[in-house]
Amino acid sequence: MKLFVKNIDRDINEVALESLFAMHGKVVSTKIIYDKITWESKGFGFVEMMKKEEGEKAIAALNGFVLKGRPLSVVEADETKRRF
């Protein structure tokens, strides 16, 4: 299950994001989206969980979770919308 995560603090890297989600199930991949010119985080990314149940568990636990002073928004990714 692929999750869309936004409002990620710019200091958070993919390893830290994966560690957070791994507490709720097996993480297949993590990807934070970076600006192509400055290489600064755009503040959003994707986490793919092994099973749908684990993804749902991660959404329930981490949507609204405050990480470095910012509440994360975690929802199931909509594969039909690719805007970056």
Side-chain angles (χ1 to χ4, degrees):
M1 175 180 207
K2 195 169 208 178
L3 308 176
F4 175 66
V5 185
K6 65 180 183 176
N7 207 25
I8 302 169
D9 186 272
R10 297 190 192 290
D11 292 335
I12 299 297
N13 61 27
E14 291 169 345
V15 174
L17 193 62
E18 181 176 344
S19 295
L20 179 64
F21 279 80
M23 291 188 285
H24 305 285
K26 173 81 171 133
V27 176
V28 176
S29 66
T30 57
K31 179 163 180 71
I32 293 177
I33 306 304
Y34 294 94
D35 184 276
K36 291 179 181 179
I37 297 171
T38 65
W39 288 104
E40 290 182 5
S41 169
K42 289 191 173 190
F44 69 93
F46 298 91
V47 176
E48 187 175 357
M49 304 295 288
M50 179 67 81
K51 298 178 183 175
K52 184 171 180 74
E53 299 80 28
E54 294 171 341
E56 290 169 348
K57 182 180 172 186
I59 290 171
L62 298 175
N63 188 40
F65 179 80
V66 178
L67 181 63
K68 291 197 79 173
R70 300 179 74 161
L72 296 177
S73 174
V74 183
V75 297
E76 185 172 359
D78 183 351
E79 293 292 329
T80 61
K81 294 181 182 177
R82 293 231 157 163
R83 293 179 269 181
F84 56 91

